[in-house]
Amino acid sequence: MTSRPALADLGPIAQLRAGRLGRRLPQLLVGLVLYGVSLGLMVRGSLGVAPWDVLHLGLAEHLPLTLGGALVLTAALVMVLWIPLREMPGIGTVANALMIGPSADATLALVDRPDAFVARLALLVGGVLLCALATAMYIGAQFGRGPRDGLMTGLVRRTGLSIRLVRTALEVSVVVIGVLLGGPLGLGTVLFALAIGPLTQAFLPAWIVPLAAAAPGQDEAIVSSAIR
C-alpha cells in the first residue's frame, strides 16, 4: 500500500531546496491565478461571496480600492499579525498576497454580471468548485500557507484552541465586520463556508507534490481547513 502524500511544514529556503521546482512553481502560480478567478466569478454571480470577501468588498465601499486592492491590503495587514504569533511566511505566502487580488480584478474586468438567475447560480457554484481546486493546487505545491491560513494556525498554536473554533471565530468576525461596512452577505457565503473544506480535502491528495527532501514535521491541519 502506498503511503498518503503529506504536506511538509518548511521555511522558505527549505522550500526551494526541496526539489521539483519545475512542477511546483507553475502549479503554485496557476493555482493562485485560478483562485483570483474564482473570487471574481462568485462576485459576478451576485448571490454572496466567500466570508473574507464580505470584508474585502466592505472595505472597498469606504476606501478607494478595488476588490483586488482590498485583498492585497488585508493580506499585508494579516501578515503583520503573524509577527507576534511567530509564524514563518513561505514563498507561497508572499505570492498569495500579491497575485490573488490582481487576478480577481482582471476577472471582474472581463466577466459581466448575467441577468438570468441560473447563470448567476452557475457562476457561484463554479466559483466555489474552482476555488477548492485552486486551493488544492497552491497548497499542494508545498510553498507554505496563505496569509489568512497562517493567522488561523498561529492562533491555534498560541491559544491551544481547536482549528474548528479558531477558524469559525475568525470567519464570523470578518463577516460581521464586512456586513457592517456594507459588504454583501448571501447564499454564496453560506455555501462557501460549508463546501470549501470538504471540496479542498477531496481535491488535495491529487495535487500534493512529494518533495525530494521531506521535512520531519508535517502540517496536516491545512488539509481540511485551507482557504487562502
Side-chain angles (χ1 to χ4, degrees), residues 40-68:
L41 294 179
M42 284 186 276
V43 171
R44 286 297 184 236
S46 298
L47 293 171
V49 294
W52 277 92
D53 288 332
V54 178
L55 174 61
H56 298 142
L57 291 170
L59 288 172
E61 290 287 325
H62 299 273
L63 299 173
L65 295 172
T66 61
L67 170 62

Side-chain angles (χ1 to χ4, degrees), residues 3-228:
S3 60
R4 177 187 175 193
L7 292 170
D9 193 7
L10 304 176
I13 302 301
Q15 289 168 2
L16 291 174
R17 291 177 175 171
R20 305 198 67 181
L21 295 181
R23 159 75 187 273
R24 292 167 57 220
L25 278 172
Q27 181 174 311
L28 170 71
L29 299 178
V30 171
L32 292 175
V33 169
L34 291 179
Y35 199 109
V37 172
S38 74
L39 301 184
L41 294 179
M42 284 186 276
V43 171
R44 286 297 184 236
S46 298
L47 293 171
V49 294
W52 277 92
D53 288 332
V54 178
L55 174 61
H56 298 142
L57 291 170
L59 288 172
E61 290 287 325
H62 299 273
L63 299 173
L65 295 172
T66 61
L67 170 62
L71 275 158
V72 173
L73 174 63
T74 304
L77 294 175
V78 167
M79 287 179 67
V80 171
L81 297 177
W82 281 33
I83 298 173
L85 296 174
R86 298 179 183 176
E87 285 288 293
M88 173 68 73
I91 294 167
T93 310
V94 178
N96 181 304
L98 296 177
M99 290 185 62
I100 291 178
S103 175
D105 279 349
T107 304
L108 291 174
L110 294 172
V111 179
D112 293 326
R113 176 190 182 277
D115 293 325
F117 175 79
V118 173
R120 290 163 55 205
L121 183 62
L123 286 178
L124 169 62
V125 174
V128 173
L129 287 169
L130 183 59
C131 188
L133 173 63
T135 301
M137 289 179 70
Y138 93 75
I139 291 292
Q142 309 245 39
F143 282 107
R145 57 186 68 87
R148 297 156 190 84
D149 287 321
L151 176 62
M152 176 193 67
T153 55
L155 286 170
V156 167
R157 290 191 182 104
R158 296 288 285 181
T159 64
L161 299 174
S162 69
I163 288 174
R164 180 177 300 178
L165 179 60
V166 171
R167 179 181 166 186
T168 300
L170 281 173
E171 297 202 353
V172 169
S173 297
V174 297
V175 167
V176 170
I177 295 170
V179 169
L180 292 174
L181 290 172
L185 180 65
L187 169 67
T189 309
V190 178
L191 176 63
F192 187 95
L194 293 176
I196 194 66
L199 286 172
T200 300
Q201 187 164 354
F203 284 128
L204 189 56
W207 289 99
I208 296 178
V209 183
L211 301 180
Q218 306 296 337
D219 195 344
E220 293 292 345
I222 320 176
V223 173
S224 61
S225 63
I227 298 299
R228 277 218 258 299

